[in-house]
């Protein structure tokens, strides 16, 4: 029997209808379209509005689209992993909620919190269950409702983040396609540069934590930028080198969409021209766990069977990593 690899066999995404433009942000904080565009590449982002609308709303929509596309029923899913830092609640896992609402009654499910690298971590983890031969259909969701933890009076963070979700289906492949290699890293000493201070067990919610705005994203932009620009490029280069891949071999780079300048630096280090780099940061901003599957969703029609695709991300933790995939359809 041939070796079993885990292949992505369908991709879907969901972004909310509401578009928050740079022009609208100009009316909210002291910023301007020129600054946001030149420093980040972002023009607009999507926001999920409505009371009680958690991140699961987007995850459910993405998974329902995924199932419809692949023509399978929810009860065929064996496992669903949701990467998110903005779960509906501290517990239960958002993955449990998604499974309930889509009718994935035979699946077990859990969340992974690895910030902007969450989708990579979940994809690497989920693929192991397929490779082991114990699971046939694994759904990986990357979803975040960043607007729930953003201070819209803080111009340093509110211009960057947006809401969105993507999902992929993993199935066994015996043609040598699918996930080929992954390198994942973490360094918890990066916590001080990027975190949400309160709401967890260290600093549970109090009137004081709310007043001090400690339930919002805290980011030292410049420090994170310096680590991200090196970390993402390093790990993408490392996975290429250890698999003897050059820029000519790679059909697409799928980079985390945090800042266009970080994306450009990674592409340059990998020897990849702009036309091989997936980009949608101008439309969605940084959707944290959502960026990579949303890129795959946007570019799916341009992908060909056998294409070498390099995913790379860097984010809070710090966490970072890269996955090499041979596209399967
Ligand atoms: O996805 C998770 C990982 N996160 C990242 O990868 C984010 C990495 N960091 C970044 O992308 C960038 O650092 C930012 C986009 C967050 C900021 O860009 P920057 O080029 O590093 O700007 P800066 O923080 O050095 O600020 C430059 C200037 C400052 O003014 P002064 O001190 O030079 O007068 C800021 O106060 O720009 C000012 N500034 C703004 N001006 C207009 C900061 N934010 C804004 C804004 N509009 N929104």
């Amino acid at each position: 029997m041939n070796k079993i690899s885990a292949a992505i066999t369908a991709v879907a995404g969901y972004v909310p209808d509401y578009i928050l433009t740079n022009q609208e942000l100009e009316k909210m904080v002291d910023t301007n379209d020129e600054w946001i565009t030149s420093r980040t590449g972002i023009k607009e982002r999507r926001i999920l509005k409505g009371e009680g609308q958690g991140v699961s709303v987007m995850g459910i929509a993405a998974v329902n689209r995924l199932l419809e596309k692949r023509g399978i029923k929810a009860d065929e899913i064996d496992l669903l992993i949701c990467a998110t830092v903005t779960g509906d609640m501290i517990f239960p896992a958002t993955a449990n909620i998604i499974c309930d609402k889509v009718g994935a009654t035979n699946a077990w499910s859990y969340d992974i919190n690895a910030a902007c690298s969450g989708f990579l971590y979940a994809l690497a983890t989920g693929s192991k269950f397929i490779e082991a031969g114990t699971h046939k259909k694994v759904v990986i969701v990357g979803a975040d409702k960043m607007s729930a933890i953003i201070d819209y009076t803080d111009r340093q963070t509110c211009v960057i983040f947006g809401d969105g979700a993507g999902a992929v289906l993993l199935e066994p492949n015996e043609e040598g396609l699918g996930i080929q290699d992954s390198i994942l890293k973490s360094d918890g000493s990066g916590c001080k540069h990027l975190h949400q201070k309160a709401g967890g067990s260290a600093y549970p919610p109090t009137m004081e934590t709310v007043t001090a705005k400690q339930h919002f994203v805290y980011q030292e932009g410049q420090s994170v930028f310096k680590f991200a620009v090196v970390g993402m490029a390093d790990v993408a280069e490392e996975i290429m080198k250890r698999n003897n891949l050059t820029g000519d071999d790679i059909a697409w780079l799928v980079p985390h969409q945090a800042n266009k300048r970080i994306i450009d630096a990674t592409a340059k280090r990998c020897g990849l021209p702009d036309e091989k780099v997936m980009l949608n940061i101008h439309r969605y901003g940084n959707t944290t766990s959502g960026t990579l599957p949303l890129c795959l969703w946007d570019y799916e029609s341009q992908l060909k069977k056998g294409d070498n695709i390099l995913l790379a991300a860097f984010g809070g933790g710090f966490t970072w990593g890269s996955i090499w995939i041979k596209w399967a359809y």
Side-chain angles (χ1 to χ4, degrees):
M1 202 176 96
N2 291 336
K3 184 173 171 279
I4 299 170
S5 53
I8 294 176
T9 55
V11 182
Y14 176 85
V15 289
D17 292 335
Y18 190 88
I19 299 174
L20 177 59
T21 62
N22 288 353
Q23 287 68 29
E24 197 178 339
L25 280 165
E26 283 177 6
K27 295 179 202 146
M28 296 160 65
V29 288
D30 180 15
T31 191
N32 57 78
D33 177 52
E34 199 282 325
W35 191 97
I36 303 171
T37 307
S38 63
R39 300 276 179 142
T40 70
I42 302 167
K43 289 302 234 184
E44 56 189 44
R45 65 294 286 146
R46 301 298 180 105
I47 304 295
L48 182 64
K49 301 250 182 188
E51 200 184 326
Q53 301 290 291
V55 68
S56 69
V57 169
M58 297 185 290
I60 291 161
V63 172
N64 278 330
R65 285 178 175 174
L66 186 78
L67 297 174
E68 197 183 316
K69 223 164 136 182
R70 185 70 180 135
I72 61 165
K73 296 204 172 65
D75 62 9
E76 293 179 53
I77 303 172
D78 300 311
L79 164 65
L80 185 146
I81 307 175
C82 180
T84 188
V85 294
T86 51
D88 283 20
M89 303 175 189
I90 297 267
F91 75 90
T94 296
N96 305 157
I97 297 169
I98 295 174
C99 282
D100 175 48
K101 295 289 193 252
V102 303
T105 46
N106 294 316
W108 62 293
S109 60
Y110 60 93
D111 288 356
I112 281 188
N113 176 341
C116 297
S117 310
F119 183 76
L120 287 185
Y121 273 48
L123 189 62
T125 310
S127 70
K128 301 299 172 201
F129 293 94
I130 298 280
E131 289 165 12
T134 55
H135 293 59
K136 300 279 181 247
K137 288 186 172 46
V138 174
V139 172
I140 309 295
V141 180
D144 267 303
K145 182 187 170 185
M146 295 306 291
S147 62
I149 54 168
I150 292 298
D151 174 5
Y152 284 94
T153 64
D154 173 16
R155 69 176 184 174
Q156 310 222 25
T157 50
C158 75
V159 301
I160 300 168
F161 292 97
D163 303 340
V168 301
L169 179 66
L170 290 175
E171 292 185 85
N173 183 285
E174 294 191 29
E175 295 176 85
L177 301 170
I179 292 167
Q180 306 292 307
D181 194 12
S182 60
I183 300 178
L184 298 164
K185 308 199 184 216
S186 64
D187 175 2
S189 70
C191 170
K192 57 183 174 290
H193 302 296
L194 179 54
H195 59 259
Q196 178 188 321
K197 185 167 178 140
S201 56
Y203 298 97
T206 61
M207 293 300 280
E208 288 70 33
T209 62
V210 172
T211 308
K213 299 188 170 190
Q214 290 174 346
H215 295 267
F216 295 126
V217 170
Y218 171 84
Q219 175 170 263
E220 293 163 6
Q222 272 189 16
S223 305
V224 178
F225 185 94
K226 282 180 199 153
F227 283 105
V229 85
V230 175
M232 202 158 106
D234 274 357
V235 76
E237 192 182 28
E238 187 182 342
I239 203 167
M240 284 174 71
K241 276 196 174 147
R242 88 172 182 191
N243 291 288
N244 299 313
L245 296 166
T246 68
D248 291 340
D249 300 316
I250 303 294
W252 292 99
L253 173 68
V254 192
H256 172 52
Q257 311 280 306
N259 189 312
K260 170 85 165 53
R261 290 180 288 148
I262 300 172
I263 294 171
D264 290 346
T266 305
K268 197 171 165 202
R269 184 91 79 78
C270 297
L272 295 168
D274 289 352
E275 52 279 15
K276 286 186 173 185
V277 181
M278 293 190 189
L279 201 70
N280 58 19
I281 191 170
H282 50 293
R283 291 161 56 214
Y284 305 143
N286 182 350
T287 57
T288 303
S289 309
T291 61
L292 298 178
L294 282 172
C295 275
L296 291 173
W297 184 49
D298 276 352
Y299 282 81
E300 187 190 16
S301 63
Q302 298 183 53
L303 305 181
K304 293 192 283 298
K305 190 171 177 178
D307 273 356
N308 285 310
I309 297 182
L310 204 63
L311 281 70
F314 186 97
F318 292 134
T319 56
W320 67 110
S322 185
I323 294 184
W324 167 36
I325 297 174
K326 273 192 184 294
W327 200 248
Y329 61 97

